[in-house]
Amino acid sequence: MNTSSTVRARFAPSPTGQLHVGNARTALFNWLFARQKRGVMALRVEDTDIERSEARYEDQLIADLKWLGLDWDEGPDVGGPYGPYRQSVRLDIYREHAERLVTERKAYLCFCTEEELQAHREDAETGQRQAIYSGKCRGIDPGDAERRRSQGEACAIRLRIPDHPIRFHDIVRGEVEFSNEVVSDPIIMRSSGMPVYNYVVVIDDGLMKITHVIRGDDHLSNTPKQVALYEALGWPVPEFAHLSTILGSDRERLSKRHGATSIANFREMGVLPEALLNYLALLGWAPSGGTREIFSASELIEQFSLERVTPSAAIFDMEKLYWLNRHYIKASPPERIAELAVPFYSKLLAEDSPEQVSAPEIVEWLSAVTRLFAPYVDRLDQLPERALPVFSYDAGAAVADPGNAEVFSWPNTDAVIARFIVKVLEDESAKSAEMTPECFKKIINEVKAETGAKGKELFHPIRIIVTGSHSGPDFDKLIPILEEGSRLALPVHVLSLRERVEAFCKARSKSESLPQLARAGETPAPTRSKS
RNA sequence: GGCGCUAUCGUCUAGGGGUUAGGACGGAAGAUUCUCAAUCUUCAAACCCGGGUUCGAUUCCCGGUAGCGCUACCA
């Protein structure tokens, strides 16, 4: 196999915090490209910023990338032929190549002090000129320079920028040209002996034989320096693809200010990885024709193309992400969604001890709750709130709720309520919280026949008694959930149908006198002691 | 300030010298459902401005404007 034709892409994040969606999108595009070309995907950790880099962030980074479904052939965790893949352990390599450049006169020692440079820069700024390096040390005789260094004089190493314009090809933007007038000789090694980012990235990409540098467009202006470096090093210049910035709704660079921006945030919100992956792919890329929106990872690998990446910045649209997430929630096997959803209930049910909800019968029941409410939510973390009518029932609030006032004003409502209550209280299965949907249906039909109410007039009052609200899910699915939930040893007791009816009776009789109810319910409601 | 990049519905985008400028999210209306959600149908909604080139520019070129980025011994 001809290795020179093998595509090699890389994702090179700094482990300085949570993986941001913008970086995740860069990782995704690299991955899609590498996988489509049957090339190599490498992960390289840019941890030269010792103050901000932390090992735990690296673990987090790898976990987030894997959660999204990405993988890599070479990296700090899996090794590879061009390692090490962590910059902090490549320092000798950087020094060695920098010295080589000095020896070859491609770079030179610079003895300017920071104060001098600072003064020069300020001077240029007040004169409204571009602050480029004066070139003061460019002409120092190499022998003299070497002598001064060996005598202990502090010096940095600067690259000599050639005196011709620097052009390079960008797959997303076409030919880009920078006049050499605006690129000053950059420092590649600090006087402290530490290398500088724009230098390190070239050494790493070059040594790792990266053929395609796909990264954020904030690096576009750095690229001429890097191209000059490749040329000085005598290495082939890779293809570049600079991806546009992801902006927040206010057109500013997406940041924490805009809410959820890290992969971990989305995972914690109950966004499915395939939804996020699909959304990120659509941000800056569209398939030929541009009419399809839903793509699996393998479909993306098949159809992706860097040539079709848009150069303009894109605003992150949470609503569209939610739409995709809803789609994938509905498209996934219910068991999977249920499994993913269980942890979200623990906050509601047992804040301090999530293990309380791990009993198999409870997990089973929570799965049923999830199946019922999942079609109603954008994200899994909304499930407990959606399912709140199951977990908490406040009859007093239901009676007082202005949203229910209209229902209470309907002429048939009182009769429906009265008949329904009597029938539930008389029902044997309800006493042991084992009311079946069939039995419930029978009661509804009897109430319907006895009162003449139908449709909303029938269902709304009954739903208010059962859930506290006139709108909600189908009784067929809800009733078994309530009954079963009430029989479970949950940290928070779920009221059975009968318990709800009893609570409602109490609340209603307290709030006002109900002549019809009094007449209908001669049999005093037997109070069932709540354990 | 200098340099660079960018510019199609509110948003993501397709398209491209002559089109009813297409799709999706979101919005509105309707159908359906006991209700909400879902689903289906329909509707509203865009080529930044000014010059060229051309028979004809939203499309190509130039300028302006705006947004973003870079302008460090940060990454």
PDB file of all heavy atoms in Angstrom, chain A residues 454-484:
ATOM      1  N   LYS A 454     -70.501  13.180  27.066  1.00  0.00           N
ATOM      2  CA  LYS A 454     -69.561  12.469  26.199  1.00  0.00           C
ATOM      3  C   LYS A 454     -68.454  13.412  25.761  1.00  0.00           C
ATOM      4  O   LYS A 454     -68.556  14.617  25.977  1.00  0.00           O
ATOM      5  CB  LYS A 454     -70.299  11.906  24.980  1.00  0.00           C
ATOM      6  CG  LYS A 454     -71.013  12.981  24.191  1.00  0.00           C
ATOM      7  CD  LYS A 454     -71.737  12.424  22.984  1.00  0.00           C
ATOM      8  CE  LYS A 454     -72.362  13.579  22.249  1.00  0.00           C
ATOM      9  NZ  LYS A 454     -73.115  13.285  21.101  1.00  0.00           N
ATOM     10  N   GLY A 455     -67.422  12.829  25.172  1.00  0.00           N
ATOM     11  CA  GLY A 455     -66.298  13.649  24.699  1.00  0.00           C
ATOM     12  C   GLY A 455     -65.641  14.408  25.834  1.00  0.00           C
ATOM     13  O   GLY A 455     -65.478  13.881  26.926  1.00  0.00           O
ATOM     14  N   LYS A 456     -65.326  15.653  25.555  1.00  0.00           N
ATOM     15  CA  LYS A 456     -64.670  16.487  26.563  1.00  0.00           C
ATOM     16  C   LYS A 456     -65.440  16.528  27.874  1.00  0.00           C
ATOM     17  O   LYS A 456     -64.859  16.481  28.939  1.00  0.00           O
ATOM     18  CB  LYS A 456     -64.583  17.935  26.063  1.00  0.00           C
ATOM     19  CG  LYS A 456     -63.551  18.205  25.016  1.00  0.00           C
ATOM     20  CD  LYS A 456     -63.516  19.717  24.797  1.00  0.00           C
ATOM     21  CE  LYS A 456     -62.644  20.075  23.614  1.00  0.00           C
ATOM     22  NZ  LYS A 456     -62.563  21.532  23.445  1.00  0.00           N
ATOM     23  N   GLU A 457     -66.774  16.661  27.770  1.00  0.00           N
ATOM     24  CA  GLU A 457     -67.608  16.786  28.965  1.00  0.00           C
ATOM     25  C   GLU A 457     -67.442  15.591  29.873  1.00  0.00           C
ATOM     26  O   GLU A 457     -67.603  15.690  31.086  1.00  0.00           O
ATOM     27  CB  GLU A 457     -69.086  16.888  28.564  1.00  0.00           C
ATOM     28  CG  GLU A 457     -69.432  18.166  27.872  1.00  0.00           C
ATOM     29  CD  GLU A 457     -70.940  18.308  27.719  1.00  0.00           C
ATOM     30  OE1 GLU A 457     -71.651  17.289  27.854  1.00  0.00           O
ATOM     31  OE2 GLU A 457     -71.389  19.431  27.463  1.00  0.00           O
ATOM     32  N   LEU A 458     -67.126  14.456  29.259  1.00  0.00           N
ATOM     33  CA  LEU A 458     -66.957  13.233  30.018  1.00  0.00           C
ATOM     34  C   LEU A 458     -65.508  13.100  30.523  1.00  0.00           C
ATOM     35  O   LEU A 458     -65.258  12.852  31.693  1.00  0.00           O
ATOM     36  CB  LEU A 458     -67.315  12.051  29.117  1.00  0.00           C
ATOM     37  CG  LEU A 458     -67.155  10.650  29.688  1.00  0.00           C
ATOM     38  CD1 LEU A 458     -68.123  10.442  30.849  1.00  0.00           C
ATOM     39  CD2 LEU A 458     -67.403   9.616  28.600  1.00  0.00           C
ATOM     40  N   PHE A 459     -64.585  13.293  29.572  1.00  0.00           N
ATOM     41  CA  PHE A 459     -63.178  13.006  29.890  1.00  0.00           C
ATOM     42  C   PHE A 459     -62.484  14.069  30.732  1.00  0.00           C
ATOM     43  O   PHE A 459     -61.670  13.739  31.582  1.00  0.00           O
ATOM     44  CB  PHE A 459     -62.393  12.781  28.597  1.00  0.00           C
ATOM     45  CG  PHE A 459     -62.622  11.407  28.015  1.00  0.00           C
ATOM     46  CD1 PHE A 459     -63.673  11.157  27.145  1.00  0.00           C
ATOM     47  CD2 PHE A 459     -61.775  10.359  28.353  1.00  0.00           C
ATOM     48  CE1 PHE A 459     -63.883   9.895  26.619  1.00  0.00           C
ATOM     49  CE2 PHE A 459     -61.981   9.096  27.824  1.00  0.00           C
ATOM     50  CZ  PHE A 459     -63.037   8.846  26.947  1.00  0.00           C
ATOM     51  N   HIS A 460     -62.782  15.313  30.456  1.00  0.00           N
ATOM     52  CA  HIS A 460     -62.058  16.356  31.177  1.00  0.00           C
ATOM     53  C   HIS A 460     -62.275  16.332  32.680  1.00  0.00           C
ATOM     54  O   HIS A 460     -61.303  16.354  33.433  1.00  0.00           O
ATOM     55  CB  HIS A 460     -62.379  17.728  30.581  1.00  0.00           C
ATOM     56  CG  HIS A 460     -61.626  17.986  29.311  1.00  0.00           C
ATOM     57  ND1 HIS A 460     -61.340  19.240  28.850  1.00  0.00           N
ATOM     58  CD2 HIS A 460     -61.099  17.123  28.424  1.00  0.00           C
ATOM     59  CE1 HIS A 460     -60.663  19.155  27.705  1.00  0.00           C
ATOM     60  NE2 HIS A 460     -60.511  17.868  27.437  1.00  0.00           N
ATOM     61  N   PRO A 461     -63.519  16.268  33.135  1.00  0.00           N
ATOM     62  CA  PRO A 461     -63.696  16.225  34.598  1.00  0.00           C
ATOM     63  C   PRO A 461     -63.015  15.003  35.202  1.00  0.00           C
ATOM     64  O   PRO A 461     -62.390  15.095  36.262  1.00  0.00           O
ATOM     65  CB  PRO A 461     -65.221  16.121  34.763  1.00  0.00           C
ATOM     66  CG  PRO A 461     -65.796  16.625  33.486  1.00  0.00           C
ATOM     67  CD  PRO A 461     -64.806  16.288  32.421  1.00  0.00           C
ATOM     68  N   ILE A 462     -63.109  13.885  34.533  1.00  0.00           N
ATOM     69  CA  ILE A 462     -62.504  12.663  35.075  1.00  0.00           C
ATOM     70  C   ILE A 462     -60.992  12.786  35.120  1.00  0.00           C
ATOM     71  O   ILE A 462     -60.339  12.399  36.091  1.00  0.00           O
ATOM     72  CB  ILE A 462     -62.950  11.432  34.241  1.00  0.00           C
ATOM     73  CG1 ILE A 462     -64.445  11.197  34.470  1.00  0.00           C
ATOM     74  CG2 ILE A 462     -62.131  10.205  34.607  1.00  0.00           C
ATOM     75  CD1 ILE A 462     -65.038  10.095  33.650  1.00  0.00           C
ATOM     76  N   ARG A 463     -60.436  13.378  34.075  1.00  0.00           N
ATOM     77  CA  ARG A 463     -58.972  13.524  34.079  1.00  0.00           C
ATOM     78  C   ARG A 463     -58.525  14.477  35.182  1.00  0.00           C
ATOM     79  O   ARG A 463     -57.458  14.292  35.758  1.00  0.00           O
ATOM     80  CB  ARG A 463     -58.465  13.983  32.715  1.00  0.00           C
ATOM     81  CG  ARG A 463     -56.932  13.997  32.673  1.00  0.00           C
ATOM     82  CD  ARG A 463     -56.336  14.304  31.329  1.00  0.00           C
ATOM     83  NE  ARG A 463     -56.336  13.168  30.427  1.00  0.00           N
ATOM     84  CZ  ARG A 463     -57.145  13.006  29.421  1.00  0.00           C
ATOM     85  NH1 ARG A 463     -58.053  13.917  29.160  1.00  0.00           N
ATOM     86  NH2 ARG A 463     -57.081  11.949  28.645  1.00  0.00           N
ATOM     87  N   ILE A 464     -59.346  15.457  35.454  1.00  0.00           N
ATOM     88  CA  ILE A 464     -58.985  16.374  36.544  1.00  0.00           C
ATOM     89  C   ILE A 464     -58.949  15.608  37.867  1.00  0.00           C
ATOM     90  O   ILE A 464     -58.036  15.784  38.677  1.00  0.00           O
ATOM     91  CB  ILE A 464     -59.977  17.563  36.621  1.00  0.00           C
ATOM     92  CG1 ILE A 464     -59.743  18.487  35.425  1.00  0.00           C
ATOM     93  CG2 ILE A 464     -59.776  18.342  37.932  1.00  0.00           C
ATOM     94  CD1 ILE A 464     -60.748  19.599  35.275  1.00  0.00           C
ATOM     95  N   ILE A 465     -59.902  14.722  38.064  1.00  0.00           N
ATOM     96  CA  ILE A 465     -59.917  13.937  39.297  1.00  0.00           C
ATOM     97  C   ILE A 465     -58.673  13.041  39.366  1.00  0.00           C
ATOM     98  O   ILE A 465     -58.034  12.918  40.409  1.00  0.00           O
ATOM     99  CB  ILE A 465     -61.184  13.059  39.380  1.00  0.00           C
ATOM    100  CG1 ILE A 465     -62.426  13.943  39.385  1.00  0.00           C
ATOM    101  CG2 ILE A 465     -61.130  12.166  40.624  1.00  0.00           C
ATOM    102  CD1 ILE A 465     -63.727  13.162  39.318  1.00  0.00           C
ATOM    103  N   VAL A 466     -58.336  12.462  38.229  1.00  0.00           N
ATOM    104  CA  VAL A 466     -57.248  11.474  38.228  1.00  0.00           C
ATOM    105  C   VAL A 466     -55.858  12.115  38.259  1.00  0.00           C
ATOM    106  O   VAL A 466     -54.962  11.646  38.955  1.00  0.00           O
ATOM    107  CB  VAL A 466     -57.379  10.524  37.018  1.00  0.00           C
ATOM    108  CG1 VAL A 466     -56.204   9.542  36.967  1.00  0.00           C
ATOM    109  CG2 VAL A 466     -58.698   9.781  37.059  1.00  0.00           C
ATOM    110  N   THR A 467     -55.696  13.191  37.491  1.00  0.00           N
ATOM    111  CA  THR A 467     -54.346  13.760  37.371  1.00  0.00           C
ATOM    112  C   THR A 467     -54.232  15.196  37.868  1.00  0.00           C
ATOM    113  O   THR A 467     -53.126  15.716  38.001  1.00  0.00           O
ATOM    114  CB  THR A 467     -53.864  13.770  35.898  1.00  0.00           C
ATOM    115  OG1 THR A 467     -54.650  14.729  35.176  1.00  0.00           O
ATOM    116  CG2 THR A 467     -54.009  12.404  35.263  1.00  0.00           C
ATOM    117  N   GLY A 468     -55.359  15.837  38.065  1.00  0.00           N
ATOM    118  CA  GLY A 468     -55.309  17.233  38.476  1.00  0.00           C
ATOM    119  C   GLY A 468     -55.357  18.191  37.305  1.00  0.00           C
ATOM    120  O   GLY A 468     -55.446  19.396  37.481  1.00  0.00           O
ATOM    121  N   SER A 469     -55.284  17.635  36.096  1.00  0.00           N
ATOM    122  CA  SER A 469     -55.300  18.508  34.930  1.00  0.00           C
ATOM    123  C   SER A 469     -56.240  17.918  33.877  1.00  0.00           C
ATOM    124  O   SER A 469     -56.386  16.705  33.762  1.00  0.00           O
ATOM    125  CB  SER A 469     -53.895  18.636  34.355  1.00  0.00           C
ATOM    126  OG  SER A 469     -53.950  19.196  33.067  1.00  0.00           O
ATOM    127  N   HIS A 470     -56.881  18.795  33.092  1.00  0.00           N
ATOM    128  CA  HIS A 470     -57.852  18.288  32.122  1.00  0.00           C
ATOM    129  C   HIS A 470     -57.200  17.691  30.881  1.00  0.00           C
ATOM    130  O   HIS A 470     -57.843  17.056  30.067  1.00  0.00           O
ATOM    131  CB  HIS A 470     -58.839  19.382  31.724  1.00  0.00           C
ATOM    132  CG  HIS A 470     -58.188  20.593  31.139  1.00  0.00           C
ATOM    133  ND1 HIS A 470     -57.741  20.635  29.856  1.00  0.00           N
ATOM    134  CD2 HIS A 470     -57.894  21.795  31.693  1.00  0.00           C
ATOM    135  CE1 HIS A 470     -57.200  21.824  29.635  1.00  0.00           C
ATOM    136  NE2 HIS A 470     -57.272  22.541  30.729  1.00  0.00           N
ATOM    137  N   SER A 471     -55.879  17.937  30.717  1.00  0.00           N
ATOM    138  CA  SER A 471     -55.229  17.320  29.564  1.00  0.00           C
ATOM    139  C   SER A 471     -54.090  16.440  30.035  1.00  0.00           C
ATOM    140  O   SER A 471     -53.470  16.703  31.066  1.00  0.00           O
ATOM    141  CB  SER A 471     -54.739  18.375  28.589  1.00  0.00           C
ATOM    142  OG  SER A 471     -53.612  19.006  29.115  1.00  0.00           O
ATOM    143  N   GLY A 472     -53.854  15.411  29.285  1.00  0.00           N
ATOM    144  CA  GLY A 472     -52.812  14.475  29.677  1.00  0.00           C
ATOM    145  C   GLY A 472     -52.909  13.219  28.837  1.00  0.00           C
ATOM    146  O   GLY A 472     -53.643  13.187  27.858  1.00  0.00           O
ATOM    147  N   PRO A 473     -52.169  12.213  29.216  1.00  0.00           N
ATOM    148  CA  PRO A 473     -52.113  11.010  28.384  1.00  0.00           C
ATOM    149  C   PRO A 473     -53.386  10.159  28.456  1.00  0.00           C
ATOM    150  O   PRO A 473     -54.247  10.394  29.303  1.00  0.00           O
ATOM    151  CB  PRO A 473     -50.928  10.248  28.972  1.00  0.00           C
ATOM    152  CG  PRO A 473     -50.805  10.733  30.366  1.00  0.00           C
ATOM    153  CD  PRO A 473     -51.295  12.136  30.382  1.00  0.00           C
ATOM    154  N   ASP A 474     -53.443   9.185  27.582  1.00  0.00           N
ATOM    155  CA  ASP A 474     -54.569   8.258  27.543  1.00  0.00           C
ATOM    156  C   ASP A 474     -54.701   7.497  28.857  1.00  0.00           C
ATOM    157  O   ASP A 474     -53.721   7.049  29.426  1.00  0.00           O
ATOM    158  CB  ASP A 474     -54.346   7.217  26.426  1.00  0.00           C
ATOM    159  CG  ASP A 474     -54.629   7.811  25.061  1.00  0.00           C
ATOM    160  OD1 ASP A 474     -55.198   8.916  25.013  1.00  0.00           O
ATOM    161  OD2 ASP A 474     -54.268   7.157  24.068  1.00  0.00           O
ATOM    162  N   PHE A 475     -55.959   7.315  29.283  1.00  0.00           N
ATOM    163  CA  PHE A 475     -56.209   6.575  30.529  1.00  0.00           C
ATOM    164  C   PHE A 475     -55.752   5.121  30.418  1.00  0.00           C
ATOM    165  O   PHE A 475     -55.282   4.539  31.381  1.00  0.00           O
ATOM    166  CB  PHE A 475     -57.701   6.618  30.861  1.00  0.00           C
ATOM    167  CG  PHE A 475     -58.147   7.959  31.356  1.00  0.00           C
ATOM    168  CD1 PHE A 475     -59.187   8.642  30.734  1.00  0.00           C
ATOM    169  CD2 PHE A 475     -57.526   8.549  32.459  1.00  0.00           C
ATOM    170  CE1 PHE A 475     -59.598   9.878  31.205  1.00  0.00           C
ATOM    171  CE2 PHE A 475     -57.940   9.782  32.933  1.00  0.00           C
ATOM    172  CZ  PHE A 475     -58.981  10.457  32.294  1.00  0.00           C
ATOM    173  N   ASP A 476     -55.925   4.564  29.250  1.00  0.00           N
ATOM    174  CA  ASP A 476     -55.546   3.162  29.034  1.00  0.00           C
ATOM    175  C   ASP A 476     -54.138   2.872  29.536  1.00  0.00           C
ATOM    176  O   ASP A 476     -53.877   1.842  30.129  1.00  0.00           O
ATOM    177  CB  ASP A 476     -55.564   2.837  27.533  1.00  0.00           C
ATOM    178  CG  ASP A 476     -56.944   2.403  27.098  1.00  0.00           C
ATOM    179  OD1 ASP A 476     -57.859   2.475  27.947  1.00  0.00           O
ATOM    180  OD2 ASP A 476     -57.098   2.007  25.934  1.00  0.00           O
ATOM    181  N   LYS A 477     -53.249   3.795  29.243  1.00  0.00           N
ATOM    182  CA  LYS A 477     -51.855   3.576  29.632  1.00  0.00           C
ATOM    183  C   LYS A 477     -51.570   4.121  31.026  1.00  0.00           C
ATOM    184  O   LYS A 477     -50.711   3.609  31.735  1.00  0.00           O
ATOM    185  CB  LYS A 477     -50.926   4.254  28.628  1.00  0.00           C
ATOM    186  CG  LYS A 477     -50.935   3.553  27.282  1.00  0.00           C
ATOM    187  CD  LYS A 477     -50.281   4.394  26.208  1.00  0.00           C
ATOM    188  CE  LYS A 477     -50.428   3.735  24.855  1.00  0.00           C
ATOM    189  NZ  LYS A 477     -50.394   4.709  23.758  1.00  0.00           N
ATOM    190  N   LEU A 478     -52.294   5.168  31.369  1.00  0.00           N
ATOM    191  CA  LEU A 478     -52.013   5.834  32.636  1.00  0.00           C
ATOM    192  C   LEU A 478     -52.483   5.033  33.852  1.00  0.00           C
ATOM    193  O   LEU A 478     -51.769   4.934  34.848  1.00  0.00           O
ATOM    194  CB  LEU A 478     -52.677   7.220  32.635  1.00  0.00           C
ATOM    195  CG  LEU A 478     -52.420   8.065  33.878  1.00  0.00           C
ATOM    196  CD1 LEU A 478     -50.956   8.428  33.985  1.00  0.00           C
ATOM    197  CD2 LEU A 478     -53.282   9.325  33.861  1.00  0.00           C
ATOM    198  N   ILE A 479     -53.694   4.471  33.779  1.00  0.00           N
ATOM    199  CA  ILE A 479     -54.281   3.789  34.934  1.00  0.00           C
ATOM    200  C   ILE A 479     -53.384   2.666  35.480  1.00  0.00           C
ATOM    201  O   ILE A 479     -53.091   2.649  36.683  1.00  0.00           O
ATOM    202  CB  ILE A 479     -55.702   3.262  34.601  1.00  0.00           C
ATOM    203  CG1 ILE A 479     -56.635   4.444  34.284  1.00  0.00           C
ATOM    204  CG2 ILE A 479     -56.272   2.421  35.747  1.00  0.00           C
ATOM    205  CD1 ILE A 479     -56.770   5.475  35.384  1.00  0.00           C
ATOM    206  N   PRO A 480     -52.914   1.762  34.614  1.00  0.00           N
ATOM    207  CA  PRO A 480     -52.040   0.701  35.155  1.00  0.00           C
ATOM    208  C   PRO A 480     -50.782   1.254  35.808  1.00  0.00           C
ATOM    209  O   PRO A 480     -50.284   0.697  36.789  1.00  0.00           O
ATOM    210  CB  PRO A 480     -51.670  -0.130  33.920  1.00  0.00           C
ATOM    211  CG  PRO A 480     -52.627   0.259  32.860  1.00  0.00           C
ATOM    212  CD  PRO A 480     -53.141   1.611  33.174  1.00  0.00           C
ATOM    213  N   ILE A 481     -50.270   2.358  35.261  1.00  0.00           N
ATOM    214  CA  ILE A 481     -49.061   2.960  35.824  1.00  0.00           C
ATOM    215  C   ILE A 481     -49.332   3.492  37.227  1.00  0.00           C
ATOM    216  O   ILE A 481     -48.543   3.294  38.145  1.00  0.00           O
ATOM    217  CB  ILE A 481     -48.525   4.061  34.886  1.00  0.00           C
ATOM    218  CG1 ILE A 481     -47.828   3.393  33.706  1.00  0.00           C
ATOM    219  CG2 ILE A 481     -47.598   5.011  35.622  1.00  0.00           C
ATOM    220  CD1 ILE A 481     -47.346   4.336  32.649  1.00  0.00           C
ATOM    221  N   LEU A 482     -50.471   4.137  37.409  1.00  0.00           N
ATOM    222  CA  LEU A 482     -50.814   4.660  38.728  1.00  0.00           C
ATOM    223  C   LEU A 482     -51.012   3.519  39.716  1.00  0.00           C
ATOM    224  O   LEU A 482     -50.499   3.555  40.841  1.00  0.00           O
ATOM    225  CB  LEU A 482     -52.105   5.490  38.638  1.00  0.00           C
ATOM    226  CG  LEU A 482     -52.061   6.735  37.764  1.00  0.00           C
ATOM    227  CD1 LEU A 482     -53.400   7.461  37.827  1.00  0.00           C
ATOM    228  CD2 LEU A 482     -50.937   7.662  38.197  1.00  0.00           C
ATOM    229  N   GLU A 483     -51.765   2.514  39.288  1.00  0.00           N
ATOM    230  CA  GLU A 483     -52.077   1.404  40.189  1.00  0.00           C
ATOM    231  C   GLU A 483     -50.815   0.657  40.589  1.00  0.00           C
ATOM    232  O   GLU A 483     -50.587   0.391  41.759  1.00  0.00           O
ATOM    233  CB  GLU A 483     -53.075   0.450  39.502  1.00  0.00           C
ATOM    234  CG  GLU A 483     -54.422   1.100  39.182  1.00  0.00           C
ATOM    235  CD  GLU A 483     -55.237   1.455  40.431  1.00  0.00           C
ATOM    236  OE1 GLU A 483     -54.844   2.408  41.129  1.00  0.00           O
ATOM    237  OE2 GLU A 483     -56.255   0.792  40.701  1.00  0.00           O
ATOM    238  N   GLU A 484     -50.005   0.379  39.598  1.00  0.00           N
ATOM    239  CA  GLU A 484     -48.792  -0.373  39.898  1.00  0.00           C
ATOM    240  C   GLU A 484     -47.825   0.467  40.727  1.00  0.00           C
ATOM    241  O   GLU A 484     -47.210  -0.041  41.671  1.00  0.00           O
ATOM    242  CB  GLU A 484     -48.129  -0.814  38.599  1.00  0.00           C
ATOM    243  CG  GLU A 484     -47.171  -1.968  38.812  1.00  0.00           C
ATOM    244  CD  GLU A 484     -46.364  -2.283  37.565  1.00  0.00           C
ATOM    245  OE1 GLU A 484     -46.889  -2.059  36.453  1.00  0.00           O
ATOM    246  OE2 GLU A 484     -45.217  -2.715  37.720  1.00  0.00           O
TER     247      GLU A 484
END
